[in-house]
Amino acid sequence: MAADRRSSWLKGVLDLLVLSCLTGGESYGYEIAKALATAGLGEIKGGTLYPVLNRLEEAGLVVGEFRAAERGPGRRYYRLTDEGRRALAEQGASWREFHSAVTTMLTTRPGGPE
């Protein structure tokens, strides 16, 4: 049950987290997935991550560029657009407000002491 909830929470914020992964410069899917896992968000599989990247690209928030590799398959590198940076700033602020409200509700007792 807890894993199901965590998955639902992640779905609601994954676009924002992917944008955040690109603030340091361009990256490709596997690197983004590793950064998310390292942050403690668990394994994000390609079947989840790549539709997010495609959606962000279609929305004009990221730009993708395929590059051939000397060895092995090529990779599609993604970078934030100016619109993506604005969206990250706005959505990040909204998320922090929401997180604060949830934290307040979880750490205080509405209506005072029992």
Side-chain angles (χ1 to χ4, degrees), residues 16-114:
L16 182 62
L17 295 172
V18 169
L19 291 175
S20 180
C21 285
L22 296 172
T23 58
E26 67 183 14
S27 190
Y28 56 94
Y30 180 70
E31 283 183 332
I32 293 168
K34 279 193 337 187
L36 294 168
T38 299
L41 298 166
E43 179 186 358
I44 309 298
K45 297 187 182 204
T48 299
L49 180 59
Y50 288 104
V52 168
L53 287 164
N54 290 335
R55 185 171 53 249
L56 294 173
E57 190 171 13
E58 288 174 7
L61 303 180
V62 302
V63 172
E65 174 188 345
F66 181 81
R67 295 186 195 153
E70 289 183 24
R71 293 186 217 153
R75 294 182 177 141
R76 187 161 183 83
Y77 285 82
Y78 298 89
R79 66 178 169 78
L80 282 176
T81 62
D82 289 340
E83 187 175 340
R85 288 185 190 284
R86 281 191 295 276
L88 177 59
E90 291 170 9
Q91 292 174 24
S94 294
W95 174 256
R96 285 186 295 277
E97 286 178 24
F98 179 76
H99 175 267
S100 178
V102 170
T103 299
T104 298
M105 287 297 298
L106 294 175
T107 58
T108 62
R109 293 183 182 173
E114 294 178 0

Side-chain angles (χ1 to χ4, degrees), residues 1-11 40-44:
M1 179 78 99
D4 292 340
R5 285 198 180 120
R6 189 173 172 91
S7 176
S8 294
W9 298 336
L10 186 58
K11 283 181 186 178
L41 298 166
E43 179 186 358
I44 309 298

